[in-house]
């Protein structure tokens, strides 16, 4: 999909259609790309590499394996590494997870926030946004929990459990539009959830 996005951005959709027609006519890769884009494959490949580096270079750098290697239970070592590598996602997350394991939820917030900024695309129950939402719920801060879970759904948009959390928290806060949107997402992801369909129907009525 990224290749197609870059080709369309560089040459328009007409170039892409020309490429497909060239292949349909039996053209080789070299001939098809020259006919569609006026460039050889190596030039197109170099352009695509630059496109990917621009969009994901910072993320790739943030996801590098950090140095030095620190044991998961070495809190001083994890803290020192995270402080020395504020732009490294793995350093921030390993520190945060160790702090959570030690019930230091307040201490875990800062590295989780840094990790969320470095990799907003992170998904699942071990992602920084989910863990920040979990901490907010435990600390009786439902507004922040909703905010973190909504941010997670921006990328993790098939996470039905988080959508259910948003619906429940929004209902408790009287946030009608937010609850309705969350219920719709839940019903789309789990069409056999009768309770959600009923709640949606009541809301629509």
């Amino acid at each position: 999909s990224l290749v197609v996005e870059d080709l369309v951005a560089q040459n328009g959709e007409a170039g892409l259609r020309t490429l497909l027609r060239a292949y349909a006519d039996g053209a080789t890769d070299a001939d098809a790309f020259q006919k569609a884009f006026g460039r050889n494959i190596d030039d197109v490949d170099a352009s695509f590499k630059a496109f990917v580096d621009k969009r994901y270079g910072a993320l790739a750098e943030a996801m590098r394996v950090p140095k030095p290697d620190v044991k998961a239970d070495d809190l001083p070592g994890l803290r020192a590494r995270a402080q020395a590598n504020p732009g490294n996602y793995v350093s921030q997350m390993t520190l945060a997870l160790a702090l959570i394991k030690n019930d230091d939820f307040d201490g875990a917030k800062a590295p989780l926030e840094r990790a969320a900024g470095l990799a907003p695309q992170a998904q699942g129950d071990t992602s920084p946004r989910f863990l920040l939402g979990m901490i907010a719920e435990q600390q009786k801060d439902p507004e922040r929990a909703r905010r973190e879970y909504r941010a997670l759904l921006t990328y993790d948009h098939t996470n039905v459990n988080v959508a259910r959390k948003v619906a429940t928290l929004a209902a408790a806060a009287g946030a009608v539009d937010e609850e309705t949107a969350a219920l719709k997402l839940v019903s789309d992801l789990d069409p056999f959830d009768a309770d959600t369909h009923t709640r949606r129907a009541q809301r629509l009525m």
Side-chain angles (χ1 to χ4, degrees):
S1 65
L2 290 173
V3 172
V4 172
E5 182 180 340
D6 184 46
L7 289 174
V8 171
Q10 295 287 335
N11 309 281
E13 290 188 11
L16 193 63
R17 289 195 293 270
T18 301
L19 180 70
L20 295 175
R21 290 193 187 100
Y23 278 127
D25 292 337
T28 64
D29 289 339
D31 291 341
F33 272 75
Q34 187 65 44
K35 183 176 182 179
F37 310 122
R39 295 184 293 166
N40 62 44
I41 294 176
D42 289 340
D43 289 341
V44 173
D45 188 54
S47 173
F48 178 65
K49 184 179 184 304
F51 166 73
V52 171
D53 286 345
K54 182 178 180 180
R55 180 174 292 188
Y56 296 109
L59 178 62
E61 185 64 29
M63 300 303 290
R64 289 187 185 278
V65 177
K67 300 292 183 182
D69 187 29
V70 181
K71 292 184 178 180
D73 59 352
D74 180 5
L75 262 177
L78 292 172
R79 187 174 281 111
R81 188 177 69 180
Q83 290 173 348
N85 297 278
N88 183 259
Y89 177 86
V90 179
S91 295
Q92 303 307 315
M93 284 302 295
T94 50
L95 171 60
L97 291 171
L99 291 168
I100 290 172
K101 188 175 181 179
N102 283 271
D103 295 327
D104 185 359
F105 298 114
D106 285 328
K109 289 180 185 177
L112 286 173
E113 288 164 356
R114 283 193 289 271
L118 292 167
Q121 305 93 332
Q123 302 177 16
D125 293 355
T126 58
S127 66
R129 290 293 182 199
F130 182 88
L131 294 173
L132 284 166
M134 180 196 72
I135 290 171
E137 284 195 271
Q138 290 187 350
Q139 295 184 336
K140 309 302 181 185
D141 186 356
E143 184 175 345
R144 176 159 191 183
R146 282 165 52 209
R147 186 169 68 247
E148 297 296 348
Y149 292 144
R150 287 198 311 268
L152 175 59
L153 286 173
T154 301
Y155 294 95
D156 197 3
H157 52 267
T158 61
N159 193 324
V160 68
N161 292 328
V162 170
R164 286 192 174 100
K165 283 179 175 289
V166 172
T168 299
L169 291 166
V176 176
D177 291 343
E178 186 178 331
E179 181 192 3
T180 300
L183 288 173
K184 182 179 185 307
L185 180 57
V186 173
S187 63
D188 288 344
L189 295 171
D190 186 0
F192 298 106
D193 184 340
D195 178 65
T196 295
H197 285 296
T198 301
R199 290 170 64 189
R200 278 194 70 199
Q202 290 171 339
R203 176 66 62 205
L204 290 167
M205 288 176 66

